[in-house]
């Protein structure tokens, strides 16, 4: 872990640090078009084993200030998974409505959101919360987003400062 982190980073969990999609596709192999994700996630809500045993996708080299997620499962399952991977235990802010805006509950609690969802990043930026998209195969877009390619604190600081300057927020 990097000791120097001047930013209060809100870090998404699923498909940012933990491999939700791999576990989901294993659990629901017949959902080929991913049309039933919301319904299937509701079925998983109380599945402790699923949520506590997600594999690590990428380990940040910094301590996040908070976690921001759209999970509907028990926070205890999330904390246990973080502990299993020796990740920092920090406050977890859950947005229960999939079409909701994470910025509604984390703005003012962090400086920047790092997320894999194009929709979450756009909503945050439109709400005045700087947000960076972590590059993943499922989020390739021509949208003018501030993209990072790793959970490296130096890369995040550089992209954050570029975003502030580009948007005239500094």
């Amino acid at each position: 872990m990097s000791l120097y982190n001047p930013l209060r980073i809100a870090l998404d969990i699923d498909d940012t640090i933990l491999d939700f999609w791999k576990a989901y596709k294993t659990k629901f192999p017949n959902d080929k078009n991913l049309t039933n994700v919301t319904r299937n996630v509701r079925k998983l809500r109380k599945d402790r084993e699923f949520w506590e045993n997600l594999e690590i996708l990428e380990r940040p080299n910094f301590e996040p200030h908070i976690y921001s997620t759209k999970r509907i499962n028990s926070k205890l399952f999330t904390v246990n998974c973080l502990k299993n991977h020796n990740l920092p235990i920090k406050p977890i802010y859950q947005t229960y409505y999939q079409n909701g805006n994470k910025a509604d509950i984390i703005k003012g609690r962090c400086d920047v959101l790092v997320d894999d969802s194009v929709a979450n990043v756009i909503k945050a930026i439109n709400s005045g919360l700087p947000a960076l998209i972590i590059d993943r195969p499922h989020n390739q877009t021509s949208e003018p987003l501030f993209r990072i390619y790793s959970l490296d604190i130096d890369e995040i600081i550089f992209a954050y400062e570029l975003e502030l300057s580009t948007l005239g927020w500094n």
Side-chain angles (χ1 to χ4, degrees), residues 7 9 54-55 59 75-77 82-83 101 114 120 126 151-152 154 157 162-163:
L7 295 177
I9 299 172
L54 293 175
E55 295 177 13
R59 184 178 299 279
K75 285 184 185 180
L76 178 62
F77 299 170
L82 294 171
K83 285 179 181 176
N101 185 350
V114 174
N120 289 340
N126 287 342
L151 293 175
D152 176 78
D154 293 330
I157 291 169
L162 177 63
E163 181 175 20

Side-chain angles (χ1 to χ4, degrees), residues 4-170:
Y4 178 69
N5 178 6
L7 295 177
R8 298 177 305 153
I9 299 172
L11 193 57
D12 176 53
I13 297 172
D14 295 321
D15 298 314
T16 298
I17 58 173
L18 298 176
D19 199 345
F20 170 83
W21 280 118
K22 180 180 178 185
Y24 176 85
K25 289 175 187 174
T26 300
K27 192 82 167 177
F28 299 101
N30 296 325
D31 191 8
K32 299 293 183 201
N33 297 324
L34 304 176
T35 55
N36 300 311
V37 175
T38 299
R39 185 176 70 215
N40 289 336
V41 167
R42 282 191 197 113
K43 291 178 188 175
L44 292 171
R45 184 176 188 173
K46 296 183 180 188
D47 188 338
R48 177 186 291 263
E49 184 177 328
F50 178 86
W51 296 107
E52 289 185 0
N53 293 301
L54 293 175
E55 295 177 13
I56 192 100
L57 181 64
E58 184 171 351
R59 184 178 299 279
N61 72 344
F62 60 90
E63 280 199 26
H65 185 68
I66 60 174
Y67 294 103
S68 178
T69 182
K70 286 190 173 176
R71 289 178 167 203
I72 60 171
N73 60 285
S74 166
K75 285 184 185 180
L76 178 62
F77 299 170
T78 301
V79 168
N80 288 341
C81 188
L82 294 171
K83 285 179 181 176
N84 289 344
H85 292 295
N86 199 29
L87 289 163
I89 306 305
K90 299 292 181 176
I92 300 167
Y93 290 87
Q94 289 179 247
T95 303
Y96 294 99
Y97 177 54
Q98 281 304 307
N99 291 321
N101 185 350
K102 288 182 172 186
D104 291 344
I105 62 171
I106 65 170
K107 189 175 177 182
R109 292 181 165 97
C110 63
D111 299 316
V112 63
L113 168 66
V114 174
D115 206 302
D116 70 296
S117 164
V118 171
N120 289 340
V121 169
I122 290 171
K123 286 177 185 177
I125 292 170
N126 287 342
S127 297
L129 175 64
L132 306 171
I133 187 128
I134 179 76
D135 190 72
R136 298 290 185 247
H138 63 269
N139 67 19
Q140 301 305 301
T141 177
S142 61
E143 293 283 336
L145 300 172
F146 298 91
R147 188 170 291 271
I148 57 173
Y149 297 91
S150 71
L151 293 175
D152 176 78
I153 189 61
D154 293 330
E155 183 177 355
I156 291 170
I157 291 169
F158 179 82
Y160 169 77
E161 290 173 350
L162 177 63
E163 181 175 20
L164 292 184
S165 174
T166 302
L167 297 175
W169 288 357
N170 57 349

